[in-house]
Amino acid sequence: MSPEEIDLWHMRRALELAAQGEGYVEPNPMVGCVIAHGAEIIGEGWHRRFGGAHAEVEALRMAGSRAAGATMYVTLEPCCHYGKTPPCTEAIIAAGIRRVVAATTDPFPAVSGGGLRRLREAGLQVSAGLLATEAERLMAPYIKLLTTGRPWVIAKWAMTLDGKLFARDGGSRWISGERSRAAVHRLRGRVDAIVVGRGTAVRDDPLLTARPPGPRVATRIVLDSRGRLPSESQLVRTARQFPVIVAIGPECPAAECHRLEQSGCEVFVCQGQGHVERLHALLVELGNRRLTNVLFEGGAEVFGALLDGRLIDEVHVFIAPKLLGGATAGSPVAGQGIETVANALPLETPVVEQFEGDVYLRARALR
């Protein structure tokens, strides 16, 4: 292999390693690292958990004394500041690494080019930009939280082939199959919050937990302007076991707020005149709490407000080979809607899988 091919080979491996941190490291970024002499890998690692050793430190531990004179491939610029761990730049310099290839720079203000600059000042050969698009895609939720103050928004729904969320009687169990539902639980297990509207919470009476548990325990959030979520609902009854936030409006009666708080729910007042403004206020609050990935699971009015506000970053849709029909049966996205096809929210080419009879489609919004 040529030197260029070797660099690509190792950086692709570093990206594979980085992806293993998904759900464990947030609000930190997923980072992977490979240390090599030519084509030979002598050390590798990834950021395994929030507050734990960074990818570079893990790879240096594996490489040991062989790190001297080697090349390090890392998906994100090494940190140069003291946080929960010491600066990776100093460990890299002390190990005798000769060359560092970074996929992309870190937008975090305390780093933001400073890590690469520190390595250059110490005499290392440094380059950045190899597979930058792939690295930035992997870290998109982290980048969004840093640059906008809001979390990454994932919209998920299951529907029939004719686009119905539930039947005329209001029933939706089970539109999708077991494998699709298992995929949803895996998704729930890696996000920071799961959001539903009050209508969905009342109609389906969900727990909104991951079963089996994943690396994260999501905060469950119900959008309920007047605080009418029933005390006998599963969400309220389990609020002391798994966190629940009821996002209310300023018009919510004080008695309902008190009832929910007495049951163990947190009540958060969303300011704003309409659904879009209130959703934006909620997302800003969740960003302030450093929540990185937020999963919205319905219903149609919630998805409609997200679309109207251009707040969706990613969609996960499960399409079952069934037909329900009916003008009053639920469709996935309501709201005001986009006026013209030309202004529709564009999505990238979707990733499509088949689970038994269901089609699982996921794609990101194009900005």
Side-chain angles (χ1 to χ4, degrees):
M1 287 192 294
S2 68
E4 293 77 16
E5 289 171 328
I6 290 173
D7 285 352
L8 283 169
W9 178 270
H10 290 321
M11 188 61 79
R12 289 194 181 103
R13 174 57 181 165
L15 288 165
E16 289 176 359
L17 292 167
Q20 296 184 55
E22 186 176 57
Y24 294 90
V25 303
E26 292 84 357
N28 281 355
M30 293 178 278
V31 182
C33 180
V34 168
I35 300 174
H37 283 293
E40 181 190 5
I41 293 176
I42 60 172
E44 59 181 29
W46 69 94
H47 188 29
R48 295 174 182 265
R49 62 177 179 84
F50 179 72
H54 287 189
E56 300 94 320
V57 172
E58 281 216 340
L60 287 169
R61 286 173 182 166
M62 178 181 284
S65 61
R66 296 190 68 195
T71 298
M72 172 179 284
Y73 302 86
V74 62
T75 59
L76 182 67
E77 171 186 12
C79 67
C80 55
H81 67 296
Y82 283 89
K84 289 186 176 295
T85 60
C88 289
T89 51
E90 304 315 301
I92 293 167
I93 294 166
I97 292 289
R98 176 183 61 86
R99 176 174 173 246
V100 173
V101 180
T104 187
T105 56
D106 192 340
F108 186 60
V111 183
S112 192
L116 299 181
R117 185 167 56 251
R118 170 72 181 110
L119 296 174
R120 289 191 181 100
E121 289 170 351
L124 281 70
Q125 298 176 32
V126 176
S127 63
L130 183 65
L131 300 183
T133 299
E134 290 83 347
E136 289 165 4
R137 178 182 177 83
L138 189 67
M139 297 185 298
Y142 165 75
I143 294 170
K144 183 187 178 188
L145 184 61
L146 271 184
T147 56
T148 72
R150 301 194 309 273
W152 187 259
V153 172
I154 304 167
K156 181 243 86 178
W157 64 83
M159 66 183 187
T160 60
L161 191 58
D162 56 338
K164 303 301 181 182
L165 294 178
F166 51 84
R168 281 192 302 164
D169 67 356
S172 61
R173 295 184 179 178
W174 293 104
I175 283 178
S176 58
E178 286 188 15
R179 286 188 60 194
S180 293
R181 297 197 295 275
V184 171
H185 283 287
R186 289 194 295 273
L187 184 57
R188 287 178 176 178
R190 69 166 180 84
V191 300
D192 297 298
I194 302 168
V195 186
V196 296
R198 190 187 70 87
T200 298
V202 171
R203 184 183 65 246
D204 295 345
D205 193 23
L207 268 174
L208 299 182
T209 56
R211 301 182 295 277
R216 308 187 83 76
V217 176
T219 297
R220 302 168 300 166
I221 302 174
V222 181
L223 307 176
D224 186 2
S225 293
R226 298 192 63 83
R228 295 175 294 175
L229 182 66
S231 296
E232 61 272 19
S233 68
Q234 290 197 92
L235 288 166
V236 175
R237 287 191 288 110
T238 59
R240 298 190 189 282
Q241 184 179 1
F242 303 106
V244 172
I245 297 174
V246 181
I248 63 168
E251 68 273 23
C252 181
E256 298 288 25
C257 294
H258 180 72
R259 172 182 64 85
L260 292 166
E261 289 173 338
Q262 288 296 106
S263 299
C265 300
E266 178 186 350
V267 173
F268 173 72
V269 181
C270 291
Q271 301 292 340
Q273 294 301 310
H275 296 317
V276 174
E277 285 188 17
R278 291 183 181 184
L279 273 176
H280 188 274
L282 175 64
L283 291 172
V284 169
E285 173 64 19
L286 298 182
N288 289 338
R289 300 184 187 201
R290 312 307 295 163
L291 274 61
T292 307
N293 293 282
V294 176
L295 174 64
F296 284 77
E297 293 204 21
E301 291 296 336
V302 174
F303 291 138
L306 288 172
L307 179 60
D308 290 345
R310 299 275 173 155
L311 298 173
I312 297 173
D313 296 301
E314 187 174 337
V315 295
H316 290 241
V317 181
F318 299 85
I319 306 169
K322 301 172 184 178
L323 300 174
L324 276 174
T328 60
S331 296
V333 184
Q336 180 179 343
I338 308 300
E339 185 175 358
T340 67
V341 172
N343 291 325
L345 178 67
L347 303 176
E348 66 183 11
T349 302
V351 175
V352 180
E353 297 180 66
Q354 190 162 349
F355 290 160
E356 299 163 338
D358 298 342
V359 174
Y360 174 28
L361 180 151
R362 61 188 185 275
R364 292 185 177 186
L366 294 172
R367 303 299 185 190

